[in-house]
Amino acid sequence: MKATAGVEASGGGGGSKHVVKAVLISSTPRDALVVLSQLDPHSAAAAGPSAQLVAKSPHMGVDFTFVTVQMDDGSSVVLQLWLLWGMDQFPSVVRSVFRGTKLVLLAYDAHKFDSFMSIKVLSKFVDDNSPSPRPDKMLVAVVSDPAADPAAGTAVSSATAEQWAKSVNMAFAPDCTPAAMVPVLLTLLNTVLTAMGAFVPHKFQSSTFNKPTYCDHCGGFIWGLHHQGKMCKGCKSTVHHRCAELCGGEACKGKCKNK
């Protein structure tokens, strides 16, 4: 499937839709929000809730949003995009986030050498905590100060970053502007969609559980007396109503039909 360079606000686009679970990781929340704002300027996460969350959790945090990518065949890819920062110290917290993840974007500040070194650690963190098969990865450079004099250069050159990215089989975008980032993203999405050729999503339906039941997504207990949660018709996975919306990037291992 060939793609055109186009990313639009969440919820747009006609034709069929593919859902891809993705994670945007950075050592600081600012870098993650800069990349998100370039991917989707209209994202509520970039404009409001995430900005508020950053103020409360500058060193560690997690957020979630949707970004829709338009393909040239009339279909679209909905990225279920998780934003993580400072989470490398708590691997047990984020292993559930990596479950079903197909694409990981790693953002670093090109003006800060320690940011680049941190992303190297985070890249290994992704490999160590992602279930097989490991997700495709993309390295994205972020400029720390948009008003900085370009002649001043960067702490980490694009050539250095690209060389390392290639050495670990990772795609590279020299900056986070749409012109530089979107074509690389679309190439990766083509690869992901090809690999997902036999992908069949869960088919959840509201269910009543007559015995104590736990969510297969978050691990939490499913409370209630009637229609407490949802169960997949194919693999019989049980989830909270809220968690069912977050499982689109996971494949059903049962007998669901891809129709």
Side-chain angles (χ1 to χ4, degrees):
M1 180 182 296
K2 185 179 179 183
T4 54
V7 177
E8 68 170 30
S10 303
S16 61
K17 287 189 176 182
H18 307 277
V19 180
V20 174
K21 185 176 180 180
V23 178
L24 172 55
I25 300 177
S26 62
S27 55
T28 67
R30 178 203 165 276
D31 295 338
L33 292 184
V34 169
V35 172
L36 177 60
S37 68
Q38 293 295 317
L39 279 176
D40 185 0
H42 305 290
S43 170
S50 284
Q52 298 172 12
L53 184 60
V54 167
K56 296 180 180 179
S57 308
H59 304 297
M60 181 189 76
V62 59
D63 202 2
F64 176 81
T65 189
F66 291 94
V67 175
T68 301
V69 183
Q70 293 301 312
M71 314 299 277
D72 70 346
D73 63 353
S75 67
S76 57
V77 175
V78 178
L79 292 180
Q80 291 183 338
L81 188 61
W82 290 84
L83 284 70
L84 302 177
W85 59 91
M87 298 298 287
D88 51 304
Q89 302 176 43
F90 301 91
S92 61
V93 176
V94 297
R95 285 194 181 104
S96 62
V97 175
F98 286 139
R99 187 187 306 142
T101 295
K102 305 299 182 184
L103 179 64
V104 173
L105 285 71
L106 295 140
Y108 74 99
D109 191 326
H111 285 278
K112 298 179 180 179
F113 184 74
D114 59 345
S115 176
F116 179 67
M117 296 306 293
S118 175
I119 224 64
K120 285 188 172 184
V121 175
L122 289 169
S123 176
K124 186 176 185 304
F125 171 75
V126 171
D127 290 341
D128 291 343
N129 291 278
S130 297
S132 181
R134 291 173 178 171
D136 290 313
K137 292 186 292 184
M138 172 180 170
L139 182 65
V140 182
V142 176
V143 177
S144 61
D145 181 6
D149 181 5
T154 57
V156 181
S157 69
S158 291
T160 297
E162 184 174 16
Q163 182 179 19
W164 173 74
K166 287 183 178 180
S167 72
V168 293
N169 196 29
M170 189 189 308
F172 175 66
D175 62 65
C176 63
T177 60
M181 182 169 51
V182 171
V184 180
L185 174 63
L186 293 176
T187 298
L188 284 178
L189 286 176
N190 282 327
T191 301
V192 169
L193 292 177
T194 299
M196 291 171 61
F199 175 79
V200 179
H202 290 292
K203 287 189 175 2
F204 288 111
Q205 60 183 8
S206 184
S207 302
T208 296
F209 307 121
N210 298 318
K211 61 181 181 180
T213 304
Y214 290 84
C215 177
D216 289 324
H217 180 74
C218 72
F221 185 77
I222 301 178
W223 295 93
L225 299 175
H226 182 67
H227 285 179
Q228 306 99 308
K230 292 187 175 183
M231 176 183 289
C232 176
K233 295 169 64 176
C235 64
K236 308 304 179 184
S237 292
T238 54
V239 296
H240 292 104
H241 287 288
R242 64 177 182 275
C243 289
E245 300 177 2
L246 307 178
C247 295
E250 299 179 11
C252 174
K253 297 179 181 180
K255 299 181 180 179
C256 286
K257 303 290 185 181
N258 194 4
K259 294 182 178 180

